[in-house]
Amino acid sequence: MKYLNLVLLLLGITQQLAAQSSINIERIAPSVYVHTSYKSLGGQPFPSNGLLVETRKGVVLIDTPWDTVQTLQLLDWVSTNLKKPVVLAIATHFHDDRLAGTEILRQHGAQVVATPLTAKLAKEEGNPVPDAVLPNDSTITVGGMRFETFFPGPGHAPDNIVVWLPKQKILFGGCLVKSVEATGIGNIADANLSQWPLAIQRIHERYPTIKMIVPGHQGWKTTESSIAIPFGHPALQRTLNLLERKGG
């Protein structure tokens, strides 16, 4: 009986870990998907978003999943459903919710790139270190698909960049931009609260035709009617509102 109880306990733990390590993938535009991974925070799974973009030459990721298990699940999904390799990943800042799957991706033949500052900070933090090959503002073309990276200034982190898909008019805001679902500004351990609103303003000025913003965490399915928007996109406005409440 003790042996049976131990087996059942281990089975329950395994099932819990599997549930925590599940990954969701949702198509948001032709050739563009959001990948959402999870980490237990306060006893509850908390979502972290990245992008998966299919091109003629392979798949490009914007940020890795939150752990290696979920990264492997993502690679398996890509192989099964898109039947193409992941050839490149762009990390938007140095925290582990953006970089945790770096080594797994390298082992599968993908290059993981970031700005020199992101690589430096990741190394200092003890996180996986990407290849530091990106200028703050850069345009990358892979298989006919264009990706623009932009550093609007420090905010959530000193090195946070956003990624713009001009063809689809989709902006990946990363952790610099909050979801309209967010009720707090989140992790500010490395934040610059005084500069963060200025970074949001620069995003608004640079990309006035945004159709969709995917934030680093929580939901992105928001219409302009769901929040008062005296300023730009609802997610940009929500970020400013939360910063004002925080005193940034």
Side-chain angles (χ1 to χ4, degrees):
M1 181 63 70
K2 289 183 179 179
Y3 176 75
L4 177 60
N5 288 338
L6 177 60
V7 170
L8 292 174
L9 175 62
L10 291 174
L11 178 60
I13 292 172
T14 300
Q15 290 173 337
Q16 289 175 2
L17 290 173
Q20 291 174 1
S21 293
S22 62
I23 189 163
N24 291 324
I25 298 166
E26 183 169 339
R27 183 177 180 269
I28 59 172
S31 303
V32 182
Y33 304 78
V34 175
H35 66 81
T36 303
S37 53
Y38 300 87
K39 184 175 183 178
S40 179
L41 297 177
Q44 298 295 324
F46 188 70
S48 179
N49 303 318
L51 289 189
L52 185 165
V53 184
E54 184 181 9
T55 82
R56 293 194 302 267
K57 290 189 175 180
V59 172
V60 176
L61 300 183
I62 314 299
D63 289 335
T64 83
W66 218 332
D67 64 32
T68 55
V69 171
Q70 292 171 107
T71 302
L72 287 169
Q73 291 175 338
L74 178 60
L75 288 170
D76 183 65
W77 185 92
V78 170
S79 177
T80 300
N81 292 275
L82 303 182
K83 303 186 187 309
K84 294 180 179 179
V86 174
V87 294
L88 180 71
I90 301 171
T92 59
H93 69 275
F94 76 99
H95 290 160
D96 63 349
D97 56 343
R98 310 293 119 193
L99 284 167
T102 294
E103 292 307 322
I104 294 294
L105 291 173
R106 282 201 183 107
Q107 291 170 17
H108 285 76
Q111 184 183 25
V112 184
V113 300
T115 66
L117 181 56
T118 292
K120 175 179 179 291
L121 292 173
K123 184 176 182 180
E124 292 174 355
E125 188 75 5
N127 290 335
V129 180
D131 299 314
V133 300
L134 285 178
N136 285 338
D137 303 336
S138 180
T139 299
I140 301 170
T141 301
V142 179
M145 193 74 73
R146 194 153 59 98
F147 304 82
E148 296 179 10
T149 66
F150 174 54
F151 174 64
H156 168 76
D159 58 325
N160 44 215
I161 61 172
V162 298
V163 182
W164 173 244
L165 305 182
K167 180 178 179 181
Q168 298 87 355
K169 299 189 184 304
I170 293 173
L171 182 80
F172 182 72
C175 299
L176 181 65
V177 180
K178 304 300 294 184
S179 167
V180 296
E181 297 177 0
T183 57
I185 203 63
N187 175 16
I188 58 171
D190 301 299
N192 187 322
L193 293 176
S194 65
Q195 292 297 308
W196 198 335
L198 299 177
I200 297 299
Q201 175 69 38
R202 293 184 189 109
I203 291 172
H204 170 62
E205 292 171 353
R206 187 177 179 98
Y207 303 114
T209 60
I210 295 171
K211 287 186 177 179
M212 180 184 294
I213 291 180
V214 178
H217 298 282
Q218 299 176 282
W220 62 89
K221 299 175 185 177
T222 305
T223 62
E224 293 189 350
S225 62
S226 64
I227 183 174
I229 50 165
F231 174 85
H233 188 280
L236 300 180
Q237 181 63 56
R238 176 54 63 91
T239 306
L240 291 178
N241 291 348
L242 292 171
L243 286 167
E244 183 178 3
R245 187 186 307 170
K246 187 68 180 177

